[in-house]
Amino acid sequence: MKKNSKLHRNNVHKSGYKLDDLCVAYPELSPFVFENEFQNKTIDFSNPVAVKTLNKALLFKYYDIKYWDFPDSNLCPPIPGRVDYIHYIADLLRTSGITSKVHVLDIGTGATCIYPLLGYKYYAWRFVGTDIDKTSLKCAKEIIAKNNLSENLSLRFQKDSAHILEGVVNKVDEFSVTMCNPPFYKSEQEAQEATERKLKGLNKKGHQQVRNFSGKSNELWYKGGEKAFIHNYLYESTLFKDQCIWFTTLVSKKDLLKGIQDSLKKLGASKIKIIDMGQGNKISRIVAWTFQ
């Protein structure tokens, strides 16, 4: 499949999916691979099972993740994009002189526990993952245990959905960096409209309305949307500014950047970085800030 030169220079997936190699390493993928009208091998990206199996194959072949399973109702993260975030965080830490004993807080780790898995497997970082969904945490715990990673990856339950850092960060915690992939939508309706646009882009107009990456409510929408979530996060970061060197979040909407920067300046951030990420036709970015 085609190359994606917009991915991070260290991203092993920037040369595209090598489906033949993946099928050899993970035979369960083979039934989903076919040749399209251009005689190129591909999968049906509107099929959630095919997408999930492809990502399982990537984790198996490139990251030695032997077990990775979760309910179909949960978000299935595309591995190339998720590992890009990891690589850009590694760049951020390296330029700050942080190259060892990295301890990461993953906000909203989800049932897949994807950032802790990738961050530990690629860079040997230790992680604490948090979530407001006990079922997701139970699933993530099983993934961690079955891959023998319990010594380096741990989980915490956020019992109050109104908070992001409060209630899960302890007084004795010290983190190198936080990571966060916030809910993008204000409501289920807005998420469904995005799904319809995605299916139309995949030439599946009229197709049964299923998200090709699935997703539960707490993963996809938040009252007030991405803007409200992030600004809550910005404020709470000031409460723990001495316990974490860098705070970061993904931001999908470019028009939110000015408001985020203005708020961080008012909150006393000493440094703010905007890191562009390119993933296929989609452009995203990471906002990173520190008070130290």
Side-chain angles (χ1 to χ4, degrees):
M1 296 175 70
K2 64 181 181 180
K3 295 182 178 180
N4 187 347
S5 59
K6 295 179 181 178
L7 290 174
H8 190 280
R9 64 187 181 280
N10 292 337
N11 196 323
V12 71
H13 311 296
K14 66 183 178 182
S15 59
Y17 300 130
K18 297 179 175 66
L19 290 177
D20 287 338
D21 292 347
L22 286 171
C23 288
V24 171
Y26 196 78
E28 290 90 336
L29 179 63
S30 297
F32 300 102
V33 176
F34 63 93
E35 284 193 0
N36 61 18
E37 58 187 305
F38 305 105
Q39 284 74 55
N40 295 321
K41 288 188 177 181
T42 186
I43 67 166
D44 180 359
F45 282 93
S46 69
N47 180 346
V49 180
V51 170
K52 186 175 181 179
T53 306
L54 171 63
N55 285 287
K56 281 185 175 183
L58 292 171
L59 288 174
F60 187 90
K61 177 173 173 57
Y62 294 103
Y63 305 97
D64 194 35
I65 300 297
K66 305 299 185 185
Y67 175 85
W68 191 66
D69 204 8
F70 48 90
D72 290 338
S73 58
N74 285 97
L75 187 72
C76 180
I79 302 307
R82 295 300 190 264
V83 79
D84 238 37
Y85 191 0
I86 294 288
H87 287 311
Y88 280 111
I89 293 301
D91 289 346
L92 175 70
L93 295 176
R94 188 163 46 249
T95 57
S96 303
I98 305 167
T99 57
S100 63
K101 297 182 179 180
V102 173
H103 196 198
V104 186
L105 179 69
D106 178 30
I107 300 162
T109 199
T112 66
C113 197
I114 193 59
Y115 288 125
L117 291 176
L118 294 172
Y120 177 75
K121 286 292 186 175
Y122 207 96
Y123 290 107
W125 297 342
R126 292 183 303 118
F127 276 80
V128 171
T130 73
D131 208 283
I132 63 171
D133 189 321
K134 285 185 176 180
T135 303
S136 291
L137 286 175
K138 182 179 179 181
C139 189
K141 184 178 181 179
E142 184 176 19
I143 291 171
I144 290 170
K146 288 191 175 182
N147 286 287
N148 298 314
L149 299 174
S150 299
E151 288 187 11
N152 296 288
L153 310 181
S154 62
L155 302 168
R156 295 179 188 176
F157 175 57
Q158 172 57 276
K159 63 182 180 180
D160 188 347
S161 61
H163 291 302
I164 297 168
L165 298 172
E166 285 191 87
V168 289
V169 178
N170 301 322
K171 291 182 179 180
V172 296
D173 283 329
E174 291 185 356
F175 293 104
S176 311
V177 65
T178 66
M179 300 181 68
C180 182
N181 188 4
F184 293 150
Y185 307 113
K186 296 179 182 178
S187 64
E188 182 176 11
Q189 180 182 352
E190 189 177 36
Q192 180 62 31
E193 289 170 356
T195 296
E196 292 171 2
R197 290 193 297 271
K198 184 184 293 184
L199 288 170
K200 186 177 180 180
L202 291 168
N203 296 317
K204 297 290 181 180
K205 189 175 182 180
H207 190 273
Q208 181 184 3
Q209 292 300 308
V210 291
R211 292 182 194 89
N212 61 333
F213 284 29
S214 299
K216 294 178 70 175
S217 60
N218 60 290
E219 297 172 319
L220 293 170
W221 61 87
Y222 179 86
K223 187 177 180 180
E226 182 181 26
K227 180 179 179 180
F229 184 95
I230 290 175
H231 280 273
N232 188 11
Y233 180 19
L234 302 183
Y235 165 71
E236 288 198 15
S237 70
T238 66
L239 306 178
F240 303 96
K241 59 186 177 182
D242 296 323
Q243 292 178 251
C244 184
I245 300 172
W246 283 101
F247 298 88
T248 77
T249 184
L250 291 177
V251 179
S252 68
K253 297 181 178 68
K254 186 177 181 180
D255 58 5
L256 295 180
L257 293 178
K258 186 179 185 305
I260 290 172
Q261 290 174 295
D262 290 345
S263 293
L264 283 171
K265 289 174 184 175
K266 290 177 182 177
L267 290 169
S270 60
K271 190 175 292 186
I272 306 165
K273 290 179 178 285
I274 309 296
I275 304 166
D276 289 329
M277 292 172 54
Q279 299 163 18
N281 295 323
K282 180 182 177 183
I283 301 296
S284 186
R285 66 280 308 159
I286 302 165
V287 176
W289 66 97
T290 183
F291 300 95
Q292 298 187 15

